[in-house]
Amino acid sequence: MQPRIIAVSHKMNGDLDDDYTLYEDGSVLHEYDRHRYPGGYNLKETLEAKNIMDSAKERLLYESSEEDKELVKELFGL
C-alpha cells in the first residue's frame, strides 16, 4: 500500500516542470525537466525529506492542509 500524499507542489521554470509530492512516510517524489532537449523531460527521483532544498520544503509546507502542517514541519525538521 502506497503511503498517503500529504502535499503536492507544482512549479514551472519557464517551460520546465519542477514538481514535488510529499508522502506521510517522509519520502518525496521529485518530477522535473532538466532541459528541453531529448532525454531531459519527465525525469523522476525519490528523495528523503531531509535531502530536498529549503525552497521546496517551504513550497510543500504552504501546499499542505492545515491538518497536515505539523506533520510536514516534523518531517522537515522545521
Side-chain angles (χ1 to χ4, degrees), residues 59-72:
R59 288 170 40 193
L60 287 164
L61 178 60
Y62 178 79
E63 295 296 338
S64 64
S65 68
E66 287 301 317
E67 296 82 26
D68 288 325
K69 289 211 185 287
E70 287 303 316
L71 176 56
V72 174

Side-chain angles (χ1 to χ4, degrees), residues 6-7 10-12 14-15 17-18 20-21 23 27 29 35 37 44 47 51-52 54 57 67 69 75:
I6 295 176
H10 300 285
K11 183 178 177 184
M12 296 290 291
D15 62 346
D17 292 326
D18 186 29
Y20 289 88
T21 303
Y23 295 92
S27 63
L29 175 62
H35 50 71
Y37 305 104
K44 296 180 182 184
L47 308 167
N51 294 333
I52 67 170
D54 288 343
K57 290 177 183 180
E67 296 82 26
K69 289 211 185 287
L75 290 170

